[in-house]
Amino acid sequence: MRQVDVGLGARSYRVLIGEGLIDRAGEWLAPLARNAAITIVSEENVWTAQGKRLVDALARTGTACNPILVAPGEASKSWATLATVIDRLVELGTERQDHIVAFGGGVIGDLTGFAAAILNRGCNYVQIPTSLLAQVDSSVGGKTAINVPAGKNLVGAFHQPSLVLIDPLALATLPTRELRAGYAEVVKYGLIGDPAFFDWCEAHGHEVIAGDVAAQSHAIEASVGAKALIVAEDERETSGRRALLNLGHTFGHALEAETGFSDRLLHGEAVAIGMALAFHFSARRGLCSADDAARATAHLAAVGLPTQMRGIETTAGRLMAHMAKDKKKSGGRVSFILARAIGEAFVDAGVDLGDVETFLAEELG
Ligand code: GLY
């Protein structure tokens, strides 16, 4: 088992990573239970695939669980589902010092974390992420949110979990397409700040997607280690350090908006296209070499991720309109994460939006 510490003073917590941790979860959750019971928020697919492991693990420590199940998919990050979850938590008598468990992918972590942030003016929660995307990114760092018609993740809070338990064996039942989409966020850590990890991704990325548990464990440990350092340095994304984690996300969110935040384009797939665009735009502006842009794109394509906007019905103007609404806009400008090389990303708040539109128009052909 590996332990990564997220150092945030009084809000510090541990991320434990190990094969079979779900089957041992009672060791950590039983001491957090009240009246020998703990509430678990999950979604129907995850519960069918992995829920018995968690229920059995809790039972072995004499702990009962109160499951709250929501529908799978991004649509559950809504006011309506949030209200349902909160009402149920209230019915269960949840108190401020209680711990709620988020057991699922990024949707469950974001929704449960936000419910925990606002119920009783803040309860504790534990993340047990079951998708690769949640294991390497969204379960660590305390960003919680729901979506509203005006935009994705527009309503939320920074609310850190008290513990994160990551079991790579949970990935065994994850559809390959979701595994691959989560892998885009793994590659991101190499592209933003760790060229040696990008080399590792080039050599072993296909093993992560093929289900090799040793490769998956290494990818998770490296990603969580990198993220923990960034979050400890810039918890609320104020210094620009944490904003680097948004590489590919400004373009990616615009593409997700154009495809209705649907299965047509998964978040990680949109981020893969966005990272390729960010590198090509950086090369076009003379910031990084064309070779680095080609190499970053080639690896994403080699593992089967999309790197071009082909097939997406959109225009440069429509994408620009989405970016203008992006919450990362500040002081009337849209910030882009660009790159000087593989492993050297930086925040550029001074990009001329006309240049971006011309670039996108050319990319769309
Ligand atoms: N997923 C980006 C962040 O946690 O800041």
Side-chain angles (χ1 to χ4, degrees):
M1 185 175 74
R2 263 286 312 276
Q3 175 171 330
V4 176
D5 295 314
V6 184
L8 288 168
R11 294 183 310 289
S12 296
Y13 54 95
R14 295 176 298 165
V15 182
L16 303 180
I17 305 163
E19 292 167 37
L21 271 196
I22 292 175
D23 307 303
R24 292 174 51 196
E27 285 175 40
W28 295 279
L29 298 185
L32 304 178
R34 186 162 54 86
N35 298 331
I38 197 153
T39 300
I40 296 168
V41 181
S42 190
E43 51 102 319
E44 288 144 12
N45 292 342
V46 168
W47 198 245
T48 304
Q50 298 286 332
K52 186 172 179 328
R53 290 180 65 199
L54 185 55
V55 172
D56 288 352
L58 287 166
R60 281 193 288 276
T61 57
T63 309
C65 81
N66 303 310
I68 300 177
L69 301 186
V70 305
E74 190 74 21
S76 283
K77 279 177 60 172
S78 65
W79 286 117
T81 309
L82 178 70
T84 308
V85 170
I86 296 253
D87 286 348
R88 185 72 189 117
L89 288 167
V90 170
E91 272 168 27
L92 288 166
T94 309
E95 297 181 3
R96 186 178 287 165
Q97 66 278 13
D98 286 347
H99 289 75
I100 305 161
V101 177
F103 184 59
V107 167
I108 291 300
D110 285 8
L111 174 74
T112 309
F114 188 41
I118 59 178
L119 179 63
N120 301 326
R121 299 196 178 94
C123 303
N124 303 300
Y125 74 113
V126 174
Q127 291 269 21
I128 308 184
T130 58
S131 71
L132 184 59
L133 185 138
Q135 294 187 342
V136 300
D137 184 21
S138 60
S139 66
V140 176
K143 277 190 181 175
T144 74
I146 58 166
N147 306 325
V148 292
K152 188 174 155 104
N153 293 334
L154 270 189
V155 176
F158 284 99
H159 185 54
Q160 300 293 342
S162 49
L163 174 69
V164 183
L165 298 178
I166 300 180
D167 182 351
L169 298 187
L171 303 178
T173 53
L174 193 69
T176 303
R177 185 179 171 201
E178 282 187 45
L179 195 56
R180 187 179 284 119
Y183 178 73
E185 301 277 6
V186 173
V187 178
K188 183 182 78 177
Y189 292 102
L191 292 177
I192 63 178
D194 190 345
F197 182 58
F198 184 78
D199 293 345
W200 183 89
C201 287
E202 285 182 315
H204 300 282
H206 61 283
E207 294 163 17
V208 173
I209 293 164
D212 181 305
V213 178
Q216 290 175 339
S217 296
H218 181 79
I220 295 164
E221 287 169 19
S223 302
V224 169
K227 180 148 188 187
L229 290 177
I230 292 173
V231 169
E233 240 180 85
D234 182 20
E235 182 184 10
R236 288 181 170 247
E237 206 169 300
T238 44
S239 74
R241 188 89 180 95
R242 186 164 182 168
L244 296 178
L245 295 172
N246 296 328
L247 175 67
H249 285 60
T250 302
F251 290 124
H253 279 169
L255 293 167
E256 283 184 273
E258 278 297 86
T259 48
F261 295 102
S262 67
D263 286 356
R264 167 79 187 78
L265 190 67
L266 300 180
H267 174 70
E269 294 168 343
V271 167
I273 299 173
M275 292 193 297
L277 290 173
F279 266 82
H280 286 301
F281 185 63
S282 300
R284 179 194 169 101
R285 298 184 83 211
L287 296 165
C288 86
S289 71
D291 281 355
D292 272 0
R295 190 178 159 207
T297 306
H299 175 56
L300 296 167
V303 296
L305 283 161
T307 56
Q308 295 179 340
M309 295 183 282
R310 223 182 353 238
I312 298 173
E313 284 295 317
T314 187
T315 64
R318 289 221 303 260
L319 292 173
M320 294 308 295
H322 288 298
M323 287 184 219
K325 280 195 276 178
D326 197 290
K327 69 182 185 310
K328 290 165 204 76
K329 187 176 73 158
S330 64
R333 306 202 69 97
V334 182
S335 291
F336 287 87
I337 314 305
L338 301 181
R340 294 195 180 88
I342 285 175
E344 274 183 56
F346 67 101
V347 181
D348 191 338
V351 176
D352 184 304
L353 294 184
D355 285 352
V356 178
E357 186 160 359
T358 305
F359 166 74
L360 290 174
E362 286 172 14
E363 290 287 314
L364 284 162

